[in-house]
Amino acid sequence: MMANDSVKLSKNLLRMKFMQRGLDAETKKQLEDEERRIISDEHWHLDLPELKANENLIIEEPSFVPCENLNYGRISFKGFNPEVEKLMVLINPKEEGANEEEQQIGRMQTDVTDEEMALRYESLVGSMRKKFAKKRERAAMEDLNHNDTNSKRVFLKPHE
Amino acid sequence: MLSSLKDRVGAVLLPGDGFSLDTDDTISLTEQAKPDKVLCGPGLRRSGARLVACKSGVLRHKLPNVFWVDSQQRRYVPAKGETVIGIVMLKSGDVFKVDFGGSEQASLSYLAFEGSTKRNRPNVQVGDLVFAQFTIANKDMEPELVCIDSSGRANGMGVFGPGGLLFRVSLGLVRRLLAPHSDIRSDLDQLFPCELVVGMNGRVWVKSSSIQQTLILANLLQSCDTMTAPQRQELFKRVKQGAL
């Protein structure tokens, strides 16, 4: 006890891992507080107003090419340079006629139209209802259907 | 919001003419609330939330929201993605210096050719003509050209020639030549077999089966700049008949 009063262990020593076990609650807390203060002091932040994200509505385009849909700069006439003529077909934006064709292809890709789908599901509604109906209801439903349509066909004997 | 701009389509703009693109004070119920993006092409410049014209010319519009100023000029200012005809001026180590008629020479790496590797250098000599595309073109940096597209294919770029004739025309004529439904091109189509390389920098290279025909073509194209359509068609007809 005497030694404890006169000689105090240094803070840095107390903070070491192997000293943590023997510390009492109060000193532990004190040390932790101090540590937290040091950390928060050393953290610094810029004193700036928050950046306002201003959406930019104007996009600049320095070139005429995309604006005017300009063609590629290599041109060959009447088959003078077949390679270039191939390139011209490949690179240049399609003419109107080709566009129409493309649109048709686009239309064909949705080969089941909305109307067709609706018609198909119309019949499905009935069968789904049948599935979820209880046994008795189902019987009633079938009765209804049979009553109006199902008159059993019998062989009619032809007249002599 | 764009109504002020759309009203002026087809009108002449002078440098300094500005448009405010702020959202209107009145909110209309029919229009969608989301503001539209505007693509402003050459001749228009953004200044804060305003659009300011920086060239004199006619305001053009393309759907949906593309605006640009159609102007005549002879000085070429490089723009990213444009294809130009350049002359190789200097071989220095890894790069070629290429003159494309701008304020500064562009650099063209020897690796920016189709099929070239560190070991396999492209055969490019000083004085060769190259058809190349800008990858870097801004006012603060040295412009940079490449002769391949993003997938490494040449697609008609690279060294061309030999033979043929290189000359300069105005930038407006180049745009008229390359326009989607160019009447000059359809007129040329009826003459004789020939080949053109048209750079956005105003350089045009023509080649035909004989020197005489090449010269005729060059003279025709150079005079096209200042001719009306009927005058041009008349001239082309006379050339076709062999009068010139």
Side-chain angles (χ1 to χ4, degrees):
Chain A
M1 287 300 276
M2 283 285 284
N4 216 2
D5 283 337
S6 59
V7 184
K8 268 202 160 180
L9 295 169
S10 82
K11 272 182 219 158
N12 284 331
L13 184 62
L14 285 175
R15 221 174 270 147
M16 282 175 166
K17 197 123 191 191
F18 68 94
M19 295 297 286
Q20 300 281 313
R21 263 174 292 158
L23 285 178
D24 52 42
E26 203 183 316
T27 34
K28 215 176 206 172
K29 201 178 162 199
Q30 207 179 324
L31 282 172
E32 262 173 28
D33 275 353
E34 206 166 316
E35 205 160 341
R36 206 175 296 143
R37 198 175 52 80
I38 290 168
I39 288 173
S40 64
D41 276 353
E42 283 182 359
H43 268 269
W44 52 276
H45 59 95
L46 292 172
D47 205 16
L48 287 175
E50 274 186 45
L51 279 175
K52 239 185 1 187
N54 212 345
E55 201 190 359
N56 197 359
L57 291 175
I58 304 172
I59 306 160
E60 283 179 324
E61 169 59 61
S63 172
F64 276 109
V65 178
C67 295
E68 299 188 347
N69 294 332
L70 295 184
N71 280 357
Y72 190 58
R74 298 206 64 168
I75 310 165
S76 160
F77 296 115
K78 296 200 169 182
F80 186 78
N81 191 339
E83 268 177 51
V84 172
E85 301 219 338
K86 233 181 278 170
L87 266 179
M88 283 165 69
V89 177
L90 210 72
I91 296 178
N92 288 342
K94 304 278 181 295
E95 305 286 318
E96 256 77 84
N99 269 350
E100 270 172 31
E101 207 170 273
E102 245 170 50
Q103 279 174 1
Q104 274 182 354
I105 290 168
R107 219 176 293 141
M108 268 162 69
Q109 271 163 352
T110 60
D111 49 12
V112 180
T113 60
D114 294 349
E115 286 87 27
E116 272 177 80
M117 200 177 82
L119 278 174
R120 199 178 156 74
Y121 274 88
E122 212 169 47
S123 63
L124 204 82
V125 167
S127 51
M128 286 307 275
R129 191 200 292 146
K130 227 183 279 171
K131 191 181 169 190
F132 286 109
K134 292 203 179 73
K135 206 166 191 179
R136 194 168 297 163
E137 288 169 4
R138 208 180 296 169
M141 239 190 283
E142 264 165 33
D143 265 2
L144 261 177
N145 284 350
H146 282 276
N147 279 348
D148 46 2
T149 56
N150 195 23
S151 50
K152 215 163 195 176
R153 289 184 185 164
V154 279
F155 182 72
L156 296 174
K157 207 176 177 185
H159 299 286
E160 296 288 314
Chain B
M1 166 181 135
L2 294 170
S3 53
S4 60
L5 203 54
K6 275 182 181 154
D7 287 344
R8 295 289 295 273
V9 170
V12 173
L13 289 189
L14 292 174
D17 285 353
F19 300 95
S20 172
L21 291 182
D22 288 331
T23 40
D24 297 329
D25 292 334
T26 54
I27 300 166
S28 75
L29 294 170
T30 49
E31 270 178 60
Q32 48 197 4
K34 194 167 151 270
D36 305 321
K37 292 210 168 183
V38 182
L39 196 99
C40 65
L44 292 174
R45 185 180 288 181
R46 184 169 65 88
S47 146
R50 283 161 59 81
L51 262 184
V52 182
C54 56
K55 281 183 197 168
S56 50
V58 182
L59 184 66
R60 301 276 185 217
H61 170 56
K62 188 180 84 174
L63 288 170
N65 276 327
V66 187
F67 294 91
W68 73 94
V69 178
D70 191 5
S71 58
Q72 280 290 333
Q73 67 180 56
R74 287 179 68 83
R75 166 180 293 269
Y76 179 65
V77 180
K80 192 183 171 186
E82 287 191 346
T83 45
V84 295
I85 296 178
I87 306 168
V88 178
M89 303 302 273
L90 190 75
K91 274 207 271 191
S92 63
D94 306 350
V95 292
F96 304 111
K97 289 284 177 214
V98 176
D99 169 64
F100 61 92
S103 58
E104 196 182 358
Q105 290 185 349
S107 65
L108 170 64
S109 165
Y110 73 91
L111 291 171
F113 288 86
E114 187 182 50
S116 69
T117 54
K118 283 212 162 187
R119 190 171 291 176
N120 183 17
R121 286 182 170 240
N123 182 22
V124 181
Q125 304 301 324
V126 170
D128 276 357
L129 296 179
V130 286
F131 190 57
Q133 189 180 23
F134 280 106
T135 48
I136 295 175
N138 57 44
K139 54 189 175 186
D140 305 315
M141 285 164 73
E142 184 188 36
E144 199 176 310
L145 291 166
V146 289
C147 291
I148 45 174
D149 62 4
S150 51
S151 57
R153 304 279 300 279
N155 267 347
M157 287 184 278
V159 179
F160 61 92
L165 179 68
L166 184 77
F167 55 94
R168 282 207 59 188
V169 296
S170 78
L171 300 186
L173 181 67
V174 164
R175 275 171 24 225
R176 266 158 61 200
L177 266 172
L178 296 181
H181 298 286
S182 162
D183 37 355
I184 303 182
R185 225 174 42 220
S186 51
D187 286 348
L188 277 174
D189 200 12
Q190 284 150 17
L191 282 181
F192 38 74
C194 59
E195 184 187 356
L196 298 182
V197 181
V198 185
M200 287 301 293
N201 55 347
R203 286 193 177 141
V204 180
W205 176 89
V206 292
K207 189 181 180 183
S208 191
S209 38
S210 69
I211 292 174
Q212 197 187 4
Q213 282 182 334
T214 307
L215 283 171
I216 288 172
L217 263 181
N219 283 328
L220 274 179
L221 282 175
Q222 276 175 315
S223 51
C224 270
D225 219 346
T226 51
M227 273 194 294
T228 60
Q231 280 175 331
R232 186 183 62 236
Q233 272 150 10
E234 177 65 26
L235 188 66
F236 273 61
K237 205 189 283 171
R238 280 170 61 196
V239 170
K240 206 178 169 190
Q241 286 160 356
L244 285 176

